[in-house]
Amino acid sequence: MSETKRKWFWAWDFDKEESWINQMAAAGKVLSKVGFTTYTFEECEPGEYTIRMELLENLKDSKSKEEYLELTGNSGAELIGKVNRWAYFRKKSSEDDFELFSDVSSKVGHLNRLRVLLALIGTMELLIGVNNTIRSFDVLPMFGVPIAILLIALGVLILFGFCRISYLRSQLIKENTLFEK
Amino acid sequence: MAGTNNALTEAVYYILLSLQQPLHGYGIMQKVEEMSGKRVKLAAGTLYGAINAMLDKHWIEALPEELDSRKKEYVITKQGKAVLTAEIARLKELYENGIAVTEGR
């Protein structure tokens, strides 16, 4: 018996998304399929699985991607699915916690990928928004201005997301100032 | 490059150690776990990131792929060995100073 839920998470709340999916697994429903805003769960033993999400690196060739997925497979994780660059993995719980990143520098590296992406998209939305505002005063102000404002709002929101990830990243580094990991 | 004062991460150090002989990704994971007495367990993302970073720096290289094998194998380069030697010397200094001070030799 499977069950599909719709839920929206912003990319910068991926840690919340991951912990929601893991709460479901702890309650006996493990993610089996994932799509844009849709999550399909199937029944499992409570706590049987751990789920981890990763924003995959923008790898040059599909061969490298394949190689990485094979590596995760060899280490016992199963790819549930991908949504854009986000990959969802699950692994049967064992004495070792399932992690995709086992040290601080690679965890920071993962957050860096997300930061770069958010900075790019956020800035782009803002620039297009501002540009549209200026232009639409000449033509169709009734139509263009609301769209431009929307774009600017979205840009600001995404840049807020950038700040959240930057904060998480700095916390991670701060907690580990005493260790070389 | 080779003689930086920066300490290697534990993952990078052990990956370099394990690549004295050619290994593929999962082979590295197993070798590192074995060498460290199961203490260091490399997660897939950490290992893959380190491999790519070290390929960029030419500390390791991918072996030409054989037709029948789908898996890429990696091995340490001359440059990588120099990095490793420098790191071992640094660790030796840390270790010896530690012993000298705490045991009052």
Side-chain angles (χ1 to χ4, degrees):
Chain A
M1 271 235 300
S2 65
E3 171 187 344
T4 301
K5 284 184 186 285
R6 286 193 150 267
K7 212 168 158 80
W8 171 258
F9 288 97
W10 294 104
W12 52 87
D13 283 334
F14 80 96
D15 52 330
K16 293 176 187 164
E17 180 178 355
E18 194 182 78
S19 67
W20 173 67
I21 298 170
N22 277 310
Q23 277 166 24
M24 294 293 287
K29 290 185 193 304
V30 64
L31 189 67
S32 60
K33 235 169 86 181
V34 63
F36 183 68
T37 72
T38 64
Y39 301 83
T40 305
F41 297 91
E42 60 188 20
E43 277 170 36
C44 69
E45 293 294 314
E48 191 183 344
Y49 286 96
T50 305
I51 291 90
R52 292 284 172 241
M53 291 171 58
E54 177 180 358
L55 179 68
L56 294 176
E57 212 155 343
N58 223 347
L59 295 168
K60 304 137 224 162
D61 50 305
S62 61
K63 190 129 206 262
S64 308
K65 218 163 250 176
E66 226 173 85
E67 194 191 2
Y68 179 59
L69 293 178
E70 191 174 311
L71 187 60
T72 52
N74 281 331
S75 55
E78 173 193 353
L79 178 70
I80 302 167
K82 281 198 289 186
V83 180
N84 301 319
R85 266 171 68 191
W86 285 100
Y88 295 72
F89 296 96
R90 67 183 187 188
K91 188 179 171 185
K92 292 225 176 195
S93 307
S94 62
E95 52 205 273
D96 298 321
D97 290 336
F98 171 36
E99 294 287 355
L100 291 167
F101 300 103
S102 49
D103 64 15
V104 173
S105 65
S106 56
K107 279 179 193 158
V108 168
H110 181 230
L111 292 181
N112 283 346
R113 272 179 227 168
L114 184 52
R115 275 173 96 220
V116 169
L117 196 66
L118 291 172
L120 273 174
I121 299 175
T123 312
M124 212 171 69
E125 302 280 355
L126 272 185
L127 288 179
I128 296 173
V130 170
N131 188 37
N132 275 16
T133 317
I134 297 164
R135 279 161 176 255
S136 58
F137 277 121
D138 304 331
V139 278
L140 289 176
M142 293 299 284
F143 183 66
V145 172
I147 289 182
I149 290 173
L150 213 69
L151 282 173
I152 292 172
L154 196 61
V156 170
L157 188 68
I158 293 171
L159 291 178
F160 159 80
F162 169 84
C163 294
R164 177 172 191 265
I165 295 298
S166 301
Y167 174 74
L168 291 183
R169 181 179 170 276
S170 67
Q171 286 300 101
L172 202 58
I173 294 170
K174 208 164 114 191
E175 276 168 31
N176 287 281
T177 42
L178 294 179
F179 298 98
E180 201 162 53
K181 271 214 156 184
Chain B
M1 274 244 270
T4 53
N5 289 320
N6 293 333
L8 301 180
T9 67
E10 211 171 69
V12 167
Y13 179 74
Y14 264 124
I15 294 167
L16 285 176
L17 269 189
S18 72
L19 287 180
Q20 303 297 312
Q21 79 218 52
L23 287 173
H24 53 75
Y26 187 54
I28 298 175
M29 276 185 184
Q30 289 173 311
K31 181 80 185 170
V32 168
E33 190 171 334
E34 180 201 310
M35 275 196 294
S36 67
K38 298 207 163 184
R39 190 179 61 81
V40 179
K41 293 176 182 173
L42 297 174
T46 301
L47 172 59
Y48 203 70
I51 287 176
N52 283 329
M54 286 193 275
L55 282 173
D56 284 347
K57 284 189 180 283
H58 303 291
W59 291 0
I60 61 171
E61 63 191 3
L63 291 181
E65 281 165 80
E66 287 166 36
L67 286 173
D68 54 336
S69 139
R70 295 191 302 130
K71 288 180 186 168
K72 235 189 244 172
E73 285 195 313
Y74 304 93
V75 73
I76 193 167
T77 60
K78 223 171 140 186
Q79 254 186 66
K81 282 183 181 163
V83 171
L84 194 56
T85 309
E87 177 67 0
I88 292 170
R90 193 188 66 86
L91 291 171
K92 185 163 177 273
E93 177 219 293
L94 291 179
Y95 174 76
E96 284 175 352
N97 278 331
I99 296 291
V101 169
T102 55
E103 294 183 3
R105 266 197 303 177

